[in-house]
Amino acid sequence: MKKNVVYIILAAIVGLLSGYLIFGSKEEPHKEMHEHIDKNDTSQKWTCSMHPQILKSEPGDCPICAMELIPVQRDEEIGSSDRFKMTQNAMALADIQTTVVGDSNIDSQASTVLSGKIVENQEANATQVSYFEGRIERLHVNYEGQMVKKGQKLATIYAPDLIAAQQELITAATLKESQPELYNAVRSKLKLWKLSEKQINAIELSGVAQEYFAIYATVSGTVSEVMSVEGDFVKLGQPIVRVSNLNDLWVEFDAYENQIGLFKKGESIEISTKAYPGVKLNTIISFVDPVLNVETRTYVVRAVISNKDLRYKPGMFALGAVKGMNISIDKQIVIPTSAVLWTGKRSVVYVKTNPTEPIFEMKEVVLGKQNNQMYTVIDGLKDGDEIVTNGTFTVDAAAQLQGKKSMMNRGKEEALKNNSGTRQDNEVVLSKVFQSKFKSALPLYIQMKNAFVKSDASLVSNFAKQILKKYREIEEFDLTAIEKKLLSEDLSMLKVLEEKQDIKIQRLHFVALSESMTSTMSMIDTFETTFYVQRCPMANNNKGAVWLSTEKEVENPYFGTSMLTCGSVIETF
């Protein structure tokens, strides 16, 4: 009996000791983490990592999710209320890289690249019309792309008026000796209807009026449009076909408003196409549109290319490089495109304000022209500023989490400015067509988000496929460089969402898709319904992630039913 008691006491001691070693040690880091915080310090604030809108003057639990509150970094520690600090570990995990910017004397031979497409040379187009009224009995040229030569028969027409005119000629021919003026007048009338001397003489010699007459091509080229069909009754001057001479083509480029003055008629331009990589066409700018398109904020820069072998087709996309601009661009700061975040109303970068510590602040910049993968900065940065060039979205997410100025959290002063209804100079303007097509894909995105809530990988794939179809409709239109970039980012994510049937992989790509679509949303003028931008700070491996919803109540697509209500609304469209 005594032996059993001893064994029980020894087992209890061992159990207590094990429990202390396992669970007691876990409290030490927590203690160390907070031992530098003075809980009697009234200036210290506490917040929730999941709900940064919660601010308390003393530690405790979050009233929303019951998680333990964490201390808020005080502004005096980092020098400004708009600045925030990241840990070195977070910097390393997200591969955040920075670059010091400075004055850059751009080489005079640097090129400005424009995007555009090949179109028909309108000066070489010709519309073939009917020169008399009648019914088309036979259309000899009846499809687009058909080659025609000058003098080739286009159509055969039954023309009642022409029959009467022929009868007049036959009658006048018997009186040409006595009434030469009448005879000549009748022949001239037939010539106005484009009958040749040979045709008129044949009618006169035969003494028989013809019922059907041919219309011949007056130019050589390619049929670009068939404008009539067999059986149509055509009037005098009515178009039958449009013929384009494709031996010379126009290449029309879109230049942005901030590039006005860069391009001059007669300047050299080097043209390349995706269809023939490595092939360069050197020509000159033949036309610069004097009128700015008020919807797209662009103007047309045009060049003419020779196309004797017909290898280039209207509709092809093209790039044009203009070298050696005739303006002073010395001492301009240039930054990589990866450093810039577009919010619709502005373009922003993140500046590292302390050379030895990872302290950042968002800065708005005014951008000039784009040279390849670099932007020229007109205002907002100075020589020696250190900016984030890789991992910009992660830095922005950290700013959001800490309640600092970010893409989604504009700050009081800036919010008042943005609500004034005025547009800033560097606002990105999306075309009406792009906006309309993008908005038509949003209901499918919402359904896909709901599929994520249900953790249904197959349903996610199905909705991704439907959105891809909508996006490919957008691709058919003539898009600006910004629109193409927005579209390409979403397409790459959607293809993975469609192909992968693993919900974990799909959720990783849904993070990037949602960030991209939220950024595009901020560039849209108006919506027919209300959209809520919601964010979960624990998603994306605790880096945080956003999504769009039409319901204010949170249903988390990154965790589904396991953490259904984790998150909060950070912006409303």
Side-chain angles (χ1 to χ4, degrees):
M1 190 69 177
K2 289 182 180 180
K3 246 184 197 182
N4 290 339
V5 171
V6 171
Y7 287 148
I8 291 170
I9 292 171
L10 287 173
I13 292 171
V14 171
L16 289 171
L17 183 60
S18 300
Y20 174 77
L21 291 173
I22 295 171
F23 298 105
S25 60
K26 290 186 177 180
E27 295 179 358
E28 290 304 311
H30 179 78
K31 181 179 178 182
E32 290 176 6
M33 184 177 69
H34 295 297
E35 65 184 3
H36 67 284
I37 304 287
D38 182 3
K39 295 185 180 180
N40 296 320
D41 184 1
T42 56
S43 65
Q44 178 64 53
K45 298 294 181 184
W46 303 75
T47 188
C48 174
S49 59
M50 291 181 63
H51 302 95
Q53 69 270 29
I54 300 297
L55 282 176
K56 297 285 186 179
S57 57
E58 57 185 24
D61 294 334
C62 174
I64 297 176
C65 64
M67 287 185 66
E68 185 181 6
L69 299 179
I70 60 174
V72 176
Q73 197 164 42
R74 289 179 288 190
D75 294 339
E76 57 266 24
E77 295 176 8
I78 52 178
S80 170
S81 61
D82 291 332
R83 295 176 183 174
F84 59 95
K85 188 175 183 179
M86 296 182 66
T87 65
Q88 293 291 352
N89 187 42
M91 294 276 290
L93 286 173
D95 191 24
I96 294 169
Q97 299 173 14
T98 61
T99 302
V100 177
V101 301
D103 291 342
S104 175
N105 295 320
I106 301 174
D107 184 1
S108 62
Q109 293 304 310
S111 60
T112 297
V113 179
L114 298 172
S115 61
K117 68 177 182 179
I118 297 172
V119 298
E120 296 170 5
N121 182 346
Q122 295 180 14
E123 293 177 344
N125 286 351
T127 301
Q128 304 291 295
V129 301
S130 175
Y131 301 109
F132 37 80
E133 290 187 355
R135 184 180 66 247
I136 298 178
E137 292 295 321
R138 180 77 185 277
L139 196 61
H140 302 283
V141 176
N142 48 22
Y143 62 89
E144 293 178 7
Q146 189 171 353
M147 300 294 295
V148 297
K149 294 183 178 180
K150 185 177 180 180
Q152 181 178 333
K153 188 185 293 185
L154 299 177
T156 300
I157 295 181
Y158 169 74
D161 290 346
L162 206 52
I163 294 172
Q166 291 177 83
Q167 200 61 53
E168 289 179 11
L169 174 64
I170 294 168
T171 303
T174 60
L175 303 171
K176 64 180 177 181
E177 297 296 335
S178 58
Q179 298 185 39
E181 292 181 358
L182 175 63
Y183 172 73
N184 291 330
V186 173
R187 287 183 69 93
S188 297
K189 181 180 179 180
L190 291 172
K191 288 178 182 178
L192 291 174
W193 278 335
K194 299 299 180 179
L195 267 67
S196 65
E197 286 281 353
K198 185 178 179 180
Q199 286 177 302
I200 295 171
N201 291 336
I203 294 167
E204 185 178 337
L205 289 172
S206 67
V208 178
Q210 298 178 27
E211 292 183 350
Y212 302 100
F213 282 86
I215 293 178
Y216 297 94
T218 57
V219 295
S220 298
T222 304
V223 176
S224 58
E225 185 179 3
V226 178
M227 309 174 78
S228 297
V229 296
E230 288 185 2
D232 279 355
F233 189 89
V234 292
K235 295 182 179 180
L236 175 66
Q238 184 172 326
I240 297 176
V241 295
R242 180 173 289 119
V243 178
S244 300
N245 188 336
L246 303 183
N247 289 334
D248 291 306
L249 294 171
W250 285 352
V251 188
E252 292 189 339
F253 301 99
D254 289 325
Y256 292 100
E257 186 175 5
N258 60 7
Q259 294 175 319
I260 289 177
L262 291 184
F263 310 106
K264 299 283 190 292
K265 183 177 179 180
E267 280 186 318
S268 297
I269 183 169
E270 185 181 75
I271 296 172
S272 60
T273 62
K274 289 184 178 179
Y276 302 106
V279 178
K280 307 292 184 183
L281 299 175
N282 292 302
T283 182
I284 62 170
I285 295 174
S286 60
F287 173 78
V288 178
D289 197 340
V291 179
L292 184 75
N293 186 318
V294 294
E295 289 189 0
T296 62
R297 313 304 300 176
T298 61
Y299 63 99
V300 174
V301 175
R302 182 189 301 150
V304 180
I305 60 172
S306 178
N307 190 38
K308 303 282 186 194
D309 53 2
L310 302 181
R311 67 190 306 196
Y312 295 100
K313 317 295 182 187
M316 280 183 174
F317 289 110
L319 294 176
V322 182
K323 297 183 178 180
M325 310 311 303
N326 295 327
I327 62 170
S328 175
I329 53 176
D330 289 341
K331 295 190 180 296
Q332 290 279 359
I333 292 176
V334 293
I335 60 175
T337 55
S338 61
V340 181
L341 295 177
W342 294 92
T343 69
K345 301 293 182 185
R346 58 204 172 145
S347 48
V348 299
V349 298
Y350 278 95
V351 178
K352 188 170 181 280
T353 59
N354 189 310
T356 59
E357 293 188 76
I359 297 174
F360 300 95
E361 182 179 1
M362 189 187 77
K363 287 290 181 85
E364 183 176 343
V365 292
V366 179
L367 301 177
K369 66 179 183 297
Q370 180 180 358
N371 287 327
N372 298 324
Q373 298 300 310
M374 305 294 286
Y375 282 117
T376 300
V377 179
I378 297 174
D379 188 32
L381 292 176
K382 62 182 184 296
D383 184 23
D385 281 345
E386 187 175 357
I387 64 170
V388 177
T389 52
N390 188 66
T392 319
F393 269 113
T394 303
V395 176
D396 184 76
Q400 293 176 39
L401 184 60
Q402 297 184 37
K404 304 297 182 179
K405 281 175 62 177
S406 65
M407 286 177 66
M408 298 301 175
N409 182 21
R410 295 184 174 88
K412 293 181 181 178
E413 183 179 340
E414 194 167 351
L416 290 172
K417 191 185 299 182
N418 285 332
N419 290 334
S420 65
T422 58
R423 296 168 79 95
Q424 298 185 25
D425 292 338
N426 59 332
E427 178 181 351
V428 177
V429 179
L430 300 178
S431 66
K432 297 295 183 185
V433 170
F434 184 93
Q435 291 191 37
S436 174
K437 293 293 182 181
F438 176 82
K439 286 192 285 188
S440 71
L442 288 175
L444 292 170
Y445 169 91
I446 297 299
Q447 289 178 286
M448 183 168 65
K449 184 269 298 182
N450 294 334
F452 272 113
V453 173
K454 298 175 183 176
S455 299
D456 190 332
S458 177
L459 200 56
V460 168
S461 176
N462 181 46
F463 285 122
K465 183 177 181 180
Q466 293 183 54
I467 298 173
L468 273 171
K469 185 178 178 181
K470 289 283 185 184
Y471 271 39
R472 289 189 178 111
E473 292 176 4
I474 307 177
E475 281 187 304
E476 296 175 2
F477 294 90
D478 187 16
L479 304 178
T480 65
I482 291 296
E483 290 170 345
K484 289 175 185 175
K485 183 182 179 187
L486 292 172
L487 199 63
S488 65
E489 290 173 352
D490 290 359
L491 282 170
S492 60
M493 296 300 107
L494 286 165
K495 287 174 184 175
V496 177
L497 288 169
E498 179 194 11
E499 294 169 2
K500 301 295 182 182
Q501 294 287 323
D502 186 325
I503 194 68
K504 291 182 179 178
I505 296 175
Q506 287 175 329
R507 278 179 169 139
L508 287 174
H509 288 82
F510 187 63
V511 173
L513 176 67
S514 297
E515 284 182 349
S516 177
M517 291 188 73
T518 301
S519 178
T520 305
M521 291 275 284
S522 64
M523 306 180 202
I524 305 293
D525 294 335
T526 56
F527 296 95
E528 289 70 33
T529 187
T530 300
F531 288 90
Y532 300 97
V533 181
Q534 298 172 338
R535 185 177 187 278
C536 172
M538 298 182 71
N540 193 23
N541 295 322
N542 292 317
K543 297 175 187 175
V546 298
W547 70 91
L548 294 166
S549 176
T550 52
E551 302 293 332
K552 196 170 185 179
E553 183 179 350
V554 172
E555 288 190 344
N556 193 314
Y558 297 111
F559 295 103
T561 54
S562 62
M563 293 180 64
L564 187 62
T565 59
C566 176
S568 58
V569 176
I570 60 173
E571 178 132 359
T572 303
F573 291 116

